[in-house]
Amino acid sequence: RDSWIRGGLAALIALAATGASATSACAAPTPPRQTPPPQTEPAAQTRDADVAPQVDRARAEKLYAKGYEEAEAGKRDLAAGKAAFAKKKFGKALHKFDEATMLDPGHYQAWNMVGFCARKTGDLKRAFAAYEKCLAIEPEYAEAHEYLGEAYLASGNIAKAKEQLNWLRSRNSDEAGELAEKIEAATN
């Protein structure tokens, strides 16, 4: 009988050491506790910074094409001496190019045209920022260097415009001739 009591006591001590109760030794085992799934916010409530931008190149290209048509119409109005009409068309084009860059932030041609239209509507600060974004994406984009040179001319910084001209010439770009003419006209 002593051995039976000692055996029972040993079993109780072993159960106590594992944290189980004497009644659980005979009862069915309890299922393990499950951790609830992490709480997530509904999609509509997520912050913008948490959401990766989705690139929609096809829609961006369509907007770019529409913006380009408006910009070309603005150029024709400028050539015809219709500055007020041209400014409106450049403003409409700017809106299209802005939308294109929102849909595809890597669309360097659209950034270039944001700069062009901003410059044509008189917003040089925005033009410089757009050219900077364009050239950060595609540093060898000659058209952006030429337009950046024109922006420097518009701001009165002939030295910086000449830097862009030198960059274009160093790459034998066709854009160099156009910028050279504008620098020549501005300095005479």
Side-chain angles (χ1 to χ4, degrees), residues 11 22 57 68 115 121 164 177:
R57 184 65 179 212
Y68 196 82
T121 57
Q164 294 306 309

Side-chain angles (χ1 to χ4, degrees), residues 12-182:
L12 281 175
I13 292 171
L15 284 174
T18 63
S21 68
T23 56
S24 68
C26 299
T30 44
R33 293 185 86 196
Q34 292 184 351
T35 308
Q39 295 291 326
T40 58
E41 298 177 32
Q45 294 179 356
T46 58
R47 294 186 339 227
D48 289 344
D50 296 337
V51 179
Q54 291 187 335
V55 174
D56 189 346
R57 184 65 179 212
R59 280 187 53 214
E61 287 292 337
K62 287 179 185 176
L63 287 165
Y64 179 86
K66 288 178 182 178
Y68 196 82
E69 288 173 14
E70 283 290 338
E72 288 297 309
K75 287 180 186 179
R76 287 190 299 272
D77 282 348
L78 263 184
K82 301 175 183 175
F85 289 115
K87 190 171 184 176
K88 286 181 185 179
K89 288 181 180 155
F90 289 130
K92 287 179 183 179
L94 180 58
H95 181 71
K96 299 292 183 199
F97 295 128
D98 273 337
E99 286 184 72
T101 61
M102 284 187 256
L103 291 171
D104 183 359
H107 195 319
Y108 65 92
Q109 298 98 330
W111 281 112
N112 182 53
M113 292 306 291
V114 166
F116 175 83
C117 291
R119 179 169 50 89
K120 292 296 187 179
T121 57
D123 190 349
L124 288 178
K125 184 177 179 181
R126 187 170 182 196
F128 283 118
Y131 294 136
E132 184 179 314
K133 285 188 181 193
C134 172
L135 292 170
I137 298 164
E138 181 52 60
E140 296 294 314
Y141 192 44
E143 189 173 301
H145 284 279
E146 194 270 325
Y147 285 164
L148 180 57
E150 288 187 35
Y152 282 127
L153 279 177
S155 71
N157 193 337
I158 306 287
K160 287 284 194 178
K162 286 181 178 179
E163 283 179 21
Q164 294 306 309
L165 177 60
N166 290 336
W167 185 94
L168 292 165
R169 284 181 173 158
S170 73
R171 282 147 177 90
N172 296 319
S173 172
D174 294 337
E175 306 291 334
E178 189 172 337
L179 183 56
E181 288 174 12
K182 291 182 178 177

